[in-house]
Amino acid sequence: MELYNGSLDVKEIFGRWLDEEAESNYGAYIPFVGTIRAEDGIEALSFDIYEPVLRSWFDAWQQRAKERGAVVKMAHSIGDVPVHTSSYVSAVFSPKRRVALELIEEFVEDFKANAPIWKYDVKNGERIYAEDRSTPMDGSGLLA
Amino acid sequence: MELYNGSLDVKEIFGRWLDEEAESNYGAYIPFVGTIRAEDGIEALSFDIYEPVLRSWFDAWQQRAKERGAVVKMAHSIGDVPVHTSSYVSAVFSPKRRVALELIEEFVEDFKANAPIWKYDVKNGERIYAEDRSTPMDGSGLLA
Amino acid sequence: MVKVEFLGPIGKAPVEMEAKTLADVAEKLKEDGTVKEWLPKCAVALNDTMVSDLNTPLKDGDRISVLPPVCGG
Amino acid sequence: MVKVEFLGPIGKAPVEMEAKTLADVAEKLKEDGTVKEWLPKCAVALNDTMVSDLNTPLKDGDRISVLPPVCGG
């Protein structure tokens, strides 16, 4: 798991992960690259991350992937990421395509739902919590 | 659609596609990279392609993707591709992740079932049709 | 005359024949023992467009492709 | 004493309190009007492990994190 301040160097990450697994005999490599869209007049998105819980979440996913013979990788930005640059890359390597296609979907969807990351629109230099696009994590409401 | 003799330069293709769509305002980019696994003592896989029908198949997919606001891209090898190098890269770009995740799965699965490409194991320099891993295309048996 | 070509691993040279429909082509191809075995698992293109109707009419110069099971990727 | 911290957009400084279980924490947090509004949509971690049982016992020095709705990617 890799965290970076600001935009990701997507080509470097993609290529390095490819090289890391070049001799691992995986038949399928599926990265997912998330890029900031220009919409609603935003200049950038900005991210807060709670790293200890993100790391536990990712470690659990590595274990789940391993049980299916696969590997997952992930990189995410902290702080401001301008439009048309990337804040998120995740990837699955697996011997076969079916497992890779299933895992990348499950991994990305669970990431959206349960990775402890908070998103803010940046408009006129101001940070506004993207409440309408945010999802309560599994188990929310325990203290209510 | 890009066809190459021998192994694909995966990093070049990934990076160039990223650059091509850098200003297109897509939020999700999902490539699928297919790499030759070392198994059953093969040295390489080898591919025949019937380009006119492959091109029609790909054009139809471009249209299907366009109707969903997305773009598909594809590169494949012709001839011999040694183990641990790549013969296939396809990709989806889409504004949103759901469409991208759905399309990459449909695109790759339909590719496996209906792209007019024939695969051969290369053992001791000999080319052996991979009959057991091959799938009759939609509409097969018409002349039987 | 139409031309029939055999793609990928079938490994047979193209043949020319008289045929008014794909049904005529099917009938003639079944006379060749090796080709006959391939036919149940082969798809068909007419001038590079996939076809699915045996009654498809043919005209002089048409090109029919016989496509065996595929495995790209 | 346990420490309760509020992550991301909640924007509130950590608080310390006496509590034997998470239920005690819940009760005390509801006294703060702003925090109370967040609670129905917040998940909870105890010493960086997600928890789902109000009866979870607490000990001196425990750290409780309140995690509002997320949106990575």
Side-chain angles (χ1 to χ4, degrees):
Chain A
M1 191 184 92
E2 307 168 18
L3 301 178
Y4 296 89
N5 287 313
S7 308
L8 301 182
D9 182 346
V10 174
K11 290 180 194 173
E12 188 277 331
I13 292 167
F14 172 86
R16 183 163 40 78
W17 290 353
L18 184 75
D19 292 341
E20 280 171 13
E21 305 299 341
E23 303 295 320
S24 310
N25 212 26
Y26 291 122
Y29 170 25
I30 311 182
F32 178 104
V33 180
T35 298
I36 312 297
R37 302 188 67 213
E39 56 186 351
D40 302 327
I42 62 165
E43 295 141 27
L45 292 179
S46 192
F47 298 91
D48 287 342
I49 292 185
Y50 188 56
E51 189 171 341
V53 168
L54 181 60
R55 202 162 285 281
S56 307
W57 175 88
F58 181 73
D59 290 348
W61 258 102
Q62 276 191 308
Q63 191 53 41
R64 284 170 73 171
K66 197 178 173 184
E67 284 160 14
R68 295 167 76 173
V71 161
V72 290
K73 296 179 192 268
M74 181 194 137
H76 203 285
S77 298
I78 298 169
D80 288 10
V81 183
V83 296
H84 293 176
T85 68
S86 299
S87 54
Y88 174 48
V89 187
S90 62
V92 173
F93 288 83
S94 134
K96 299 283 182 184
R97 84 174 181 287
R98 274 312 315 160
V99 167
L101 286 165
E102 287 163 17
L103 272 181
I104 192 68
E105 172 158 11
E106 293 168 30
F107 184 46
V108 169
E109 291 297 341
D110 191 49
F111 171 84
K112 295 297 285 188
N114 285 304
I117 302 180
W118 297 278
K119 178 180 281 177
Y120 305 81
D121 290 334
V122 180
K123 288 185 182 179
N124 305 315
E126 207 188 339
R127 229 170 167 234
I128 307 149
Y129 176 47
E131 188 174 1
D132 53 325
R133 283 114 75 202
S134 299
T135 311
M137 296 170 73
D138 289 350
S140 284
L142 183 66
L143 301 181
Chain B
M1 192 185 91
E2 307 169 18
L3 301 179
Y4 297 89
N5 288 312
S7 308
L8 302 182
D9 183 344
V10 174
K11 290 180 195 173
E12 187 279 328
I13 292 167
F14 172 87
R16 182 164 39 79
W17 290 354
L18 183 75
D19 291 341
E20 280 171 15
E21 305 298 341
E23 302 296 318
S24 309
N25 211 26
Y26 292 122
Y29 170 24
I30 311 182
F32 178 104
V33 180
T35 298
I36 312 297
R37 303 188 67 213
E39 57 186 351
D40 303 328
I42 62 165
E43 296 142 25
L45 292 179
S46 192
F47 298 91
D48 288 343
I49 292 185
Y50 188 56
E51 189 171 338
V53 168
L54 181 59
R55 202 161 285 280
S56 308
W57 175 87
F58 182 72
D59 290 347
W61 259 102
Q62 275 190 308
Q63 191 53 42
R64 285 170 74 171
K66 196 177 173 184
E67 284 160 14
R68 296 166 77 174
V71 161
V72 290
K73 296 180 191 268
M74 183 195 135
H76 203 285
S77 298
I78 299 169
D80 289 9
V81 183
V83 296
H84 293 176
T85 69
S86 298
S87 54
Y88 173 49
V89 186
S90 61
V92 173
F93 287 84
S94 134
K96 299 283 181 184
R97 83 173 182 288
R98 274 311 317 158
V99 167
L101 285 166
E102 287 163 17
L103 272 181
I104 192 67
E105 172 158 9
E106 293 169 30
F107 185 47
V108 169
E109 291 297 339
D110 191 48
F111 171 84
K112 294 298 285 187
N114 285 304
I117 302 180
W118 297 278
K119 179 181 280 179
Y120 305 82
D121 290 334
V122 179
K123 288 184 182 179
N124 305 315
E126 206 188 339
R127 229 172 167 233
I128 306 150
Y129 176 47
E131 190 174 359
D132 53 327
R133 283 114 75 202
S134 298
T135 311
M137 296 170 73
D138 288 350
S140 284
L142 183 66
L143 301 181
Chain C
M1 294 282 271
V2 300
K3 187 179 180 183
V4 182
E5 57 185 18
F6 303 92
L7 299 181
I10 302 179
K12 182 181 159 68
V15 296
E16 300 211 319
M17 61 177 66
E18 295 292 345
K20 286 190 172 131
T21 65
L22 281 177
D24 296 343
V25 174
E27 201 157 322
K28 284 186 183 147
L29 291 183
K30 279 183 237 177
E31 291 166 9
D32 179 326
T34 313
V35 170
K36 188 181 169 156
E37 280 178 29
W38 280 100
L39 293 182
K41 50 193 175 187
C42 284
V44 183
L46 172 58
N47 301 323
D48 297 331
T49 298
M50 303 305 293
V51 286
S52 57
D53 184 352
L54 266 189
N55 298 317
T56 305
L58 301 176
K59 61 181 193 307
D60 202 43
D62 274 349
R63 199 165 38 80
I64 292 119
S65 308
V66 178
L67 297 94
V70 297
C71 187
Chain D
M1 293 284 271
V2 301
K3 187 178 180 182
V4 182
E5 57 185 19
F6 303 91
L7 299 181
I10 302 179
K12 182 181 160 67
V15 296
E16 300 210 319
M17 60 178 70
E18 296 291 346
K20 286 189 172 134
T21 66
L22 281 177
D24 296 344
V25 174
E27 202 157 319
K28 284 186 183 148
L29 291 183
K30 278 183 239 178
E31 291 165 9
D32 178 324
T34 313
V35 170
K36 187 179 172 167
E37 281 178 30
W38 280 101
L39 293 182
K41 49 192 177 187
C42 284
V44 183
L46 171 59
N47 301 323
D48 297 331
T49 298
M50 302 305 293
V51 286
S52 58
D53 184 353
L54 266 188
N55 298 316
T56 305
L58 301 177
K59 60 181 194 307
D60 202 43
D62 274 349
R63 199 164 38 79
I64 292 120
S65 308
V66 179
L67 297 95
V70 296
C71 187

